[in-house]
Amino acid sequence: MPTVSMTVNGKSVSAEVEPRTLLVQYLREHLGLTGTHVGCDTSQCGACVVHVDGESAKSCTMLAMQAEGSDVSTIEGLADGDTLHPMQEAFRENHGLQCGFCTPGMVMSAVDLVRTNADPSEQEVREWLEGNLCRCTGYHNIVKSILAGAKAMQG
Amino acid sequence: MNEMSNKWIGQSTIRPDGAEKVTGRAEFAADTNMPGMIWGSVLRSPHAHARIVSIDTSKAEAHPGVKAVVTAQDIVDFPVDTPVPLGIQDMRWMCRNIMAREKVLFHGHPLAAVAATSEAIAAEACKLIEMEYEVLPWVIEIEDAIKPDAPILHEYLEHDGKPSNITGTLEHKLGDVEEGFAQADVIIERSFTTRPVHQGYIEPHACLVSVAADGKTTIWSSSQGQFMVRAMTAMLTDMPQSDIRAIPAEIGGGFGGKTIVYLEPVATMLSKKSGRPVKMVMSREDVMRASGPTSGSMSTVKIGATKDGQIVAAEGTFYLQAGALPGSPIRGAAGCGFAPYNIPNVHSVGIDVVSNRSKVAAYRAPGAPIGAFAVESVLDEVAEALNIDPLELRLRHAAREGTKAAHGPTYPLIGFVETIEAAIEHPHYKAPLGKHQGRGVASGFWFNAGGESSAQVNITEDGNVVVTTGHPDIGGSRAAIANVAAELLGIDYRRVSVLIGDTATVGYSNLTGGSRVLFASAMAVTDSAGQVITTLCERAAKIWDIDPDAVTWEDGEARPAGDNAGQFEPLSLADIAAQATQTGGPIGHGAQLNTTGAQGGFATHICDVEVDMDLGIVKVLRYTSFQDVGRAVHPAYVEGQMQGGVAQGIGWALNEEYIFDKDGHVDNPGFLDYRMPVCSDLPMLDAVMIEVPNPAHPQGVRGVGEVPLVPALAAIANAVHNALGLRFSSLPMSPPKVLAALEMPEAAE
């Protein structure tokens, strides 16, 4: 089996994997990072969004080997110790979740949005989130959370 | 309870599971692992309907890495001639649903399962199972399934004395509809169809099961009821319930779809046979093909009114697709459709029809949106024919305290009228509309439920509080329970930790379903907390050496009841907890209740749409829902239920549908082609909560989770009619259908 090496949440990791191993399987099953979820297998729901070299990517639609040498960050790596990332805090405070299954992917996508667009409008948030499905909230509080989180990230 | 003094009830407090969920630490069922764990995979039917001639699993069993194979022979067979009810399910059908027995009844029906050292090996081994079938003609759509020459799914189920796919009927009658229609000046009769739609929870079904050598079994799974999982698994695997500990994982959405088991009994048998813990996770494709979407439907509704605007009679027939095995939500369709109105003569019939698609599971107010779509569309037409404002027509006939409903009850105090009045007064109802835009309104009803719930309230040694209840928390119920307990005990909500117990650690609690969780569990928590307060007062009395009756509990501390009781410094929860050992031991109480007094929920919706005349896309521009929420214990999560229900209704009305191909296979078993609303499809969804507290509940709670979906289909269809003058009697109003109807109005039917 080939060996794959990358940095995940700031730590160098290396493992032998079957070539068909998806990045999400590598994160969840080899590294135990189960905060990255699988909802659809076909890259519509976005529950599996992580950052690969700083940009959001759907880890269910990428082989682990495609992330060879990359800097990967997952929802587990976002908070600074006990201090939540402003986007995580915004979701918590604005009730931006009901069941919470889509939340890690939503938060990771939102952080990437703010990276590229520091002060997004409601419409820009809605369009950015087309690749992240939520079935509980009607997106109402998710949009509110992201607008609040974007503001907090500038603060 | 003095409403004005509420400190926590009515506050949108921070949810107790918030930090875990935003950091990815919350443990969902697929996140659970055990040493030595292996993976299960399911072989599913390639046919929509076939008799099973033989199954040969020998090659799969011999495949390297395979540890166990399970077929229907390993699952308890409940003979078809004796009903075995469990809640709203029947184990005759459950045993046949989780593993095909005599026949395969739908494409994707489980035939066998394999456990192996990896998921990939288990899936490979499934392909080595040799099946022999006698392929049978199949039928999926209701209109085909009820034809005299239709292929029959279950030869032993009869209707009108002969084998039939009609497997149940239900009838509600009030007054005399013939007499009623005879008085009518205007009679509108229309037929409607809706497509099967999936609950669409983002988390696929998953479980991990470990059966120890002595048979003691632990199940971690995603469900809407750990006690349901325990009972069904025990029955299907022939184990005593006491040997099974069902632990509810965090649940990634359910909406009714996780009120039955698919994987747990199968994983239990795989674990028993292999001696290893077994994990099973459905793919999205499996979820779409083989877990329960709700019914497709075919309805006819007829309403008669006098020319001065009095509705005198209403009649409805609702055919609902049950899927492969009996049990569609005809009660919701036939019962809820007319339930909002005071109509003297009503006749409503629900008809259950089996066909070769997966068995239905509950979906948010099961059946009610189907009933409301038909009734509320016809009401809109009646209002138009009589030239009466559609909300005014509804207000004139709105059920209120004392109204006798056709489905049985005479209503107690309800807040339906208030929802309509609030809608009429709301600026949304008067806002101007542009070109190709339209506005629709509709109302809806859901029964709501009470039933069994348990709770335990324990005081920790340092004077904080742990509350355990028995219901998986789908939408924030722990946050609401924290508010209730904090209010009762007079302490900050952050000092209350709310946990969901497993089947071994909390008393029996019925499903998270029927909009019952906060209603019933708040009653159990109120009872438990009341006992705790009595004990706290007794302990203070002991410390002060006075009579317990001379102590009261106020603002989180024990105080002398009055001057006669003596002069003592108040004792806080922490003070009393610190002396618990000396004053009588641990402080904690539980309650196991069978709650009653749940009362119906009502809602009224206003929806504005704009139709893209070139692309046929219906865009929801503005949506406001008005709901009698009883008492909003945690307003943000009540609004969340309202917004989530409306969003599902928008999906059902505009895009979502199961499409079957020429072989009876689901042609769109994924989120690319099964088109649920995405963020950019929706506007902000305004939720107006109207509080008419339920007098039968200590906090005034009414169920709030399901009724928000009920009016939505009709509100949107009525808005499209207002925009285009076209009445869609067939859902979804998807772009190709809208375009076709713009060319040729018959396409809307």
Side-chain angles (χ1 to χ4, degrees), chain A residues 18 20 25 28-29 32-47 74-79 81-85 87-108 122-123 125-147, chain B residues 12-15 17-19 21-28 30-33 39 118-121 124 197-204 250-253 255 279 282-285 363-364 473-476 619 634 636-637 639-641 643-645 647-648 651 656 670-672 674 676-687:
Chain A
E18 285 189 58
R20 63 182 164 188
Q25 291 172 325
R28 288 177 55 84
E29 288 155 31
L33 296 170
T34 54
T36 302
H37 297 152
V38 178
C40 74
D41 317 305
T42 49
S43 79
Q44 279 83 47
C45 84
T74 71
I75 188 73
E76 288 92 344
L78 201 57
D82 289 342
T83 309
L84 295 179
H85 183 281
M87 192 58 78
Q88 291 173 312
E89 191 56 55
F91 270 75
R92 197 175 82 102
E93 282 181 355
N94 291 281
H95 313 287
L97 59 146
Q98 283 180 31
C99 80
F101 191 79
C102 74
T103 310
M106 288 284 177
V107 170
M108 295 306 279
E122 181 197 325
Q123 191 53 31
V125 170
R126 288 187 179 278
E127 284 169 15
W128 182 267
L129 283 191
E130 281 172 356
N132 289 81
L133 291 174
C134 168
R135 190 62 156 173
C136 293
T137 63
Y139 304 101
H140 187 102
N141 283 352
I142 292 177
V143 172
K144 273 170 59 181
S145 299
I146 294 176
L147 292 171
Chain B
S12 291
T13 53
I14 300 292
R15 60 190 292 150
D17 54 329
K21 292 217 167 128
V22 301
T23 54
R25 281 186 215 173
E27 212 165 60
F28 292 89
D31 302 341
T32 327
N33 293 299
W39 293 79
S118 78
E119 209 175 1
I121 293 173
E124 281 161 20
V197 294
H198 199 272
Q199 295 82 352
Y201 33 83
I202 309 295
E203 179 204 29
E250 290 292 341
I251 170 172
F255 314 106
K279 181 159 161 175
M282 277 197 200
S283 65
R284 175 56 50 185
E285 187 175 334
Y363 180 25
R364 205 170 204 153
D473 173 1
I474 291 194
K619 173 95 182 156
H634 190 293
Y637 291 122
E639 289 169 346
Q641 289 298 313
Q643 291 150 352
Q648 286 184 316
E656 293 178 36
F671 285 151
L672 181 62
Y674 183 88
M676 304 203 307
V678 301
C679 196
S680 58
D681 290 334
L682 303 180
M684 283 300 189
L685 302 168
D686 293 323

Side-chain angles (χ1 to χ4, degrees), chain B residues 19 75 100-101 115 173 227 232 251 258 262 314 331 348 360 396 434 455 467 495 508 554 559 577 599 603 606 698 746:
Chain B
I75 303 292
R101 203 154 269 281
K173 266 186 177 170
F227 290 90
M232 286 198 176
I251 170 172
K258 292 177 181 169
Y262 296 98
R331 178 173 161 263
S348 188
V360 295
R396 278 189 206 177
V467 178
R495 290 176 58 196
Y508 178 82
E554 279 172 36
R559 295 176 185 168
Q599 292 168 6
I606 308 175
E746 306 86 82

Side-chain angles (χ1 to χ4, degrees), chain B residues 357-650:
Chain B
R357 43 144 281 199
S358 56
K359 173 178 164 48
V360 295
Y363 180 25
R364 205 170 204 153
I370 289 169
F373 171 55
V375 172
E376 297 289 318
S377 294
V378 174
L379 271 183
D380 213 48
E381 244 187 289
V382 171
E384 205 180 7
L386 296 170
N387 200 23
I388 299 175
D389 174 89
L391 284 178
E392 173 60 29
L393 181 70
R394 286 168 174 84
L395 185 59
R396 278 189 206 177
H397 297 89
R400 49 188 85 214
E401 189 172 6
T403 300
K404 167 86 177 144
H407 70 277
T410 298
Y411 291 120
L413 183 66
I414 52 174
F416 181 40
V417 166
E418 288 83 345
T419 70
I420 306 174
E421 287 172 344
I424 291 171
E425 293 305 316
H426 197 275
H428 182 172
Y429 200 48
K430 300 169 197 75
L433 288 165
K435 206 176 170 196
H436 307 310
Q437 296 180 356
R439 177 167 300 141
V441 298
S443 295
F445 166 83
W446 176 248
F447 306 112
N448 293 331
E452 302 99 326
S453 282
S454 300
Q456 176 74 29
V457 176
N458 289 341
I459 307 301
T460 58
E461 298 95 295
D462 62 356
N464 291 301
V465 181
V466 177
V467 178
T468 309
T469 64
H471 303 291
D473 173 1
I474 291 194
S477 58
R478 273 169 292 194
I481 289 291
N483 283 2
V484 169
E487 190 74 51
L488 292 165
L489 293 166
I491 58 171
D492 190 290
Y493 82 98
R494 280 159 286 226
R495 290 176 58 196
V496 181
S497 184
V498 185
L499 306 175
I500 311 300
D502 64 61
T503 56
T505 59
V506 68
Y508 178 82
S509 299
N510 210 323
L511 291 164
T512 292
S515 299
R516 60 177 298 276
V517 168
L518 187 62
F519 172 84
S521 57
M523 284 173 111
V525 169
T526 302
D527 186 311
S528 309
Q531 295 178 59
V532 165
I533 288 168
T534 301
T535 299
L536 291 167
C537 290
E538 286 166 2
R539 300 302 176 85
K542 206 171 240 179
I543 293 165
W544 292 330
D545 196 20
I546 61 173
D547 193 282
D549 291 344
V551 181
T552 63
W553 188 260
E554 279 172 36
D555 288 336
E557 53 190 27
R559 295 176 185 168
D563 293 341
N564 293 342
Q567 294 292 321
F568 301 100
E569 280 300 304
L571 289 167
S572 70
L573 201 50
D575 296 334
I576 297 171
Q579 298 184 59
T581 307
Q582 295 78 33
T583 56
I587 302 169
H589 290 282
Q592 298 183 295
L593 305 181
N594 191 8
T595 64
T596 57
Q599 292 168 6
F602 293 86
T604 298
H605 291 184
I606 308 175
C607 169
D608 292 356
V609 299
E610 180 174 88
V611 182
D612 182 320
M613 305 299 279
D614 298 320
L615 299 174
I617 295 169
V618 176
K619 173 95 182 156
V620 175
L621 298 177
R622 185 172 181 183
Y623 206 108
T624 312
S625 59
F626 305 83
Q627 185 176 326
D628 170 18
V629 300
R631 187 80 178 93
V633 171
H634 190 293
Y637 291 122
V638 174
E639 289 169 346
Q641 289 298 313
M642 295 168 71
Q643 291 150 352
V646 166
Q648 286 184 316
I650 291 171

Side-chain angles (χ1 to χ4, degrees), chain B residues 670-704:
Chain B
F671 285 151
L672 181 62
D673 303 320
Y674 183 88
R675 179 66 166 73
M676 304 203 307
V678 301
C679 196
S680 58
D681 290 334
L682 303 180
M684 283 300 189
L685 302 168
D686 293 323
V688 179
M689 296 181 289
I690 291 149
E691 294 190 304
V692 179
N694 176 357
H697 190 276
Q699 285 81 30
V701 169
R702 244 178 247 280
V704 298

Side-chain angles (χ1 to χ4, degrees), chain B residues 96-180:
Chain B
R96 283 166 177 75
N97 195 47
I98 66 159
M99 204 60 90
R101 203 154 269 281
E102 303 82 9
K103 297 205 288 188
V104 297
L105 298 165
F106 60 94
H107 177 248
H109 202 162
L111 297 162
V114 175
T117 49
S118 78
E119 209 175 1
I121 293 173
E124 281 161 20
C126 279
K127 292 182 191 154
L128 300 175
I129 296 172
E130 290 170 327
M131 298 291 311
E132 202 182 325
Y133 305 97
E134 177 196 339
V135 177
L136 301 169
W138 51 269
V139 64
I140 288 178
E141 303 303 334
I142 295 170
E143 56 178 330
D144 300 326
I146 58 176
K147 282 180 183 158
D149 58 346
I152 298 294
L153 273 76
H154 308 289
E155 295 79 2
Y156 48 86
L157 292 175
E158 298 194 339
H159 179 70
D160 278 346
K162 51 178 187 293
S164 170
N165 292 325
I166 293 180
T167 46
T169 57
L170 168 149
E171 194 171 8
H172 296 303
K173 266 186 177 170
L174 184 70
D176 182 331
V177 279
E178 276 184 35
E179 253 174 48

